[in-house]
């Protein structure tokens, strides 16, 4: 529908959500639930996933290309749902896309961890690049300077989630191998909070909870990112009025619509068909 | 050293070897052992790995770009060490690079399987794209029309090999989950030969052998590709004379030299330093 002014166009424009693949659909799901009147355009850079094992330079270049495509689609705000891109490329993206607000998932994830921890001992599981970049560790210490933070790269969690093996003996064996030395430590040193620092990991939460037990709070960025997005849209007067309710979700991918639909359904929490996915070139 | 004619230059030129990442180093290792007088240039497209979950169009585009870089380096022959690219893009590569000979790993792997099987029942483990493309199944049936071939996508094997988890409880649990239904079948239907249809998989061979037992022959493309390369070089009169012995190996990657060196050592079978790897842009 034609807009009467650029300002109206901004309000009615969709929110852009970007991820390296399908994992960010866990974030999209939380955003759409928290802001049901908004339209969303989600882009998964599936032709070049995963970002988590790549170098900072490559990640930055890929993220800027993906964000440019979403800007061309007229988004009013950009959510970087990929932890790796948030950890490595957020400043570059914000500088490039000002005045369009850019929101990452690392700060909201760190805030969730600081809210959940009792003893201030926090473990972060993430991809190699996210762990090496140290963004989570820094963000947690900014909000809780006395926190004891340990970060561990768990790349096989990504493969398990993509394969749809979210439960059972294999997942539990992998969890034990990655995390036993951290969580079998003495009661006065073991973390009381685990941050899922990769958008693929929330689908593994039941298995993680079973292995780690009730004493550990498991948090991810999805809920707090939704709260942060609400704040950003309100602050910029960009929130869509309830009277102009949208609720549409457009899904874009840079590779096979078939695979995006098949694997993505696990993360979005509802079945997807290839026809729901538009393939774009970066 | 300056060459006296294009023909001499051809003979002394290096062999190009291309893979999506570091897995092809298992093939390079076999080639360099079989042809110790040759020079090799290996390119791993690590910025865009893995290929195995991507669409045929993306795989073809990436493979052509990688091969063009090797052609610019003056290679006399191109070995496509990546099973996925061999299965999907070999015809495009051969057409584009004629008269430079292009050799894939699927036909040699299929030949190895047909030589090893007694009962003609062959299982192929590979990436999603390789299995879907059907190239192994077709190549095996060309050399043994009565073969019973079953192909299974095992994407987690790639992640395990990249993580360096080549043995132990996790690997065995994954092998059981992927393969038990095939190999626990009756003695008159279970495969007697397993083809490792991905260059990452040879590092998992001890674990596979332990789970599957002695009754199953495990074959891969590396040895037969070395034999095929010898044949191709001889046929084109491109084999380097022993008197001009080279033996140099140049390693190129499209992303982080540090990661290539760290993970690649497992596959090449000797330690690598980041300084051994030249980073190139495609």
């Amino acid at each position: 529908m034609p807009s009467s002014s650029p300002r109206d166009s901004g309000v009615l424009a969709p929110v852009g959500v970007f991820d390296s693949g399908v994992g960010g659909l866990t974030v999209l799901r939380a955003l759409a639930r928290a802001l049901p009147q908004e339209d969303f355009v989600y882009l998964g850079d599936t032709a070049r996933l995963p970002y988590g094992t790549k170098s900072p330079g490559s990640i930055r270049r890929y993220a800027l290309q993906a964000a440019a495509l979403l800007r061309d689609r007229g988004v009013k705000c950009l959510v970087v749902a990929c932890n790796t891109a948030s950890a490595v490329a957020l400043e570059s993206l914000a500088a490039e896309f000002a005045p369009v607000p850019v929101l990452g998932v690392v700060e909201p994830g760190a805030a969730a961890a600081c809210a959940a921890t009792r003893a201030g001992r926090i473990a972060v599981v993430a991809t190699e690049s996210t762990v090496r970049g140290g963004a989570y560790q820094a963000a947690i210490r900014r909000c809780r300077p006395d926190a004891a933070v340990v970060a561990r790269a768990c790349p096989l969690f990504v493969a398990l989630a993509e394969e749809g093996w979210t439960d059972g003996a294999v997942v539990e064996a992998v969890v034990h191998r990655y995390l036993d030395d951290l969580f079998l430590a003495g009661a006065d040193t073991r973390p009381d909070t685990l941050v899922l620092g990769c958008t693929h990991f929330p689908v593994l939460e039941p298995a993680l909870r079973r292995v780690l037990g009730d004493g550990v709070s498991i948090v991810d960025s999805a809920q707090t990112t939704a709260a942060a997005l609400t704040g950003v849209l309100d602050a910029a007067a960009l929130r869509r009025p309830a009277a102009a309710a949208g609720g549409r979700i457009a899904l874009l991918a840079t590779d096979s619509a078939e695979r995006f639909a098949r694997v993505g359904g696990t993360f979005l929490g509802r079945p997807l068909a290839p026809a729901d996915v538009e393939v774009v070139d970066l």
Side-chain angles (χ1 to χ4, degrees), chain A:
Chain A
M1 105 187 180
S3 58
S4 57
S5 78
R7 171 67 180 280
D8 278 3
S9 161
V11 168
L12 297 178
V15 173
V17 181
F18 154 61
D19 184 48
S20 60
V22 295
L25 293 171
T26 57
V27 175
L28 176 64
R29 186 183 183 178
L31 300 180
R33 199 173 285 166
L35 293 158
Q37 79 279 19
E38 298 291 343
D39 289 336
F40 293 89
V41 182
Y42 179 96
L43 169 60
D45 189 10
T46 46
R48 301 187 293 197
L49 69 81
Y51 283 11
T53 53
K54 309 226 160 112
S55 67
S58 293
I59 294 163
R60 235 170 260 128
R61 197 167 72 244
Y62 293 173
L64 286 167
Q65 291 170 352
L69 184 140
L70 286 170
R71 186 171 54 184
D72 292 346
R73 299 259 171 157
V75 301
K76 64 184 174 187
C77 175
L78 176 64
V79 178
V80 185
C82 174
N83 280 270
T84 300
S86 293
V88 169
L90 198 67
E91 281 182 32
S92 306
L93 288 165
E96 181 74 19
F97 292 92
V100 174
V102 178
L103 186 66
V105 289
V106 169
E107 292 287 343
C114 293
T117 186
R118 297 172 305 281
R121 294 192 302 269
I122 298 169
V124 180
V125 286
T127 65
E128 277 181 59
S129 292
T130 301
V131 169
R132 277 168 187 257
Y136 262 102
Q137 298 93 311
I140 289 170
R141 290 207 187 92
R142 270 196 298 279
C143 87
R144 182 151 177 172
D146 67 332
V149 189
V150 56
R152 180 142 301 177
C154 301
L156 271 173
F157 285 176
V158 177
L160 288 168
E162 292 250 333
E163 187 71 332
W165 291 9
T166 58
D167 224 329
V170 171
V171 180
E172 294 193 11
V174 173
V175 173
H176 279 295
R177 180 140 176 190
Y178 276 132
L179 300 180
D180 272 357
D181 65 313
L182 290 180
F183 286 92
L184 295 182
D188 54 342
T189 59
R190 74 191 298 245
D192 66 12
T193 299
L194 178 72
V195 185
L196 306 183
C198 171
T199 51
H200 279 78
F201 297 175
V203 298
L204 304 175
E205 187 176 334
L208 284 160
R209 202 170 285 287
R210 200 158 41 250
V211 172
L212 301 180
D214 290 338
V216 177
S217 300
I218 300 179
V219 301
D220 67 62
S221 305
Q223 297 309 325
T224 40
T225 300
L229 175 61
T230 305
V232 166
L233 293 180
D234 283 345
L238 282 172
R239 195 150 162 186
R240 194 181 179 105
R248 288 169 291 258
I249 292 179
L251 300 172
L252 315 178
T254 55
D255 204 351
S256 165
E258 187 280 331
R259 186 172 203 275
F260 187 103
R262 179 163 45 87
V263 181
T266 310
F267 295 93
L268 192 57
R270 62 174 168 87
L272 288 174
D276 297 331
V277 184
E278 178 189 347
V279 177
V280 296
D281 209 13
L282 283 186

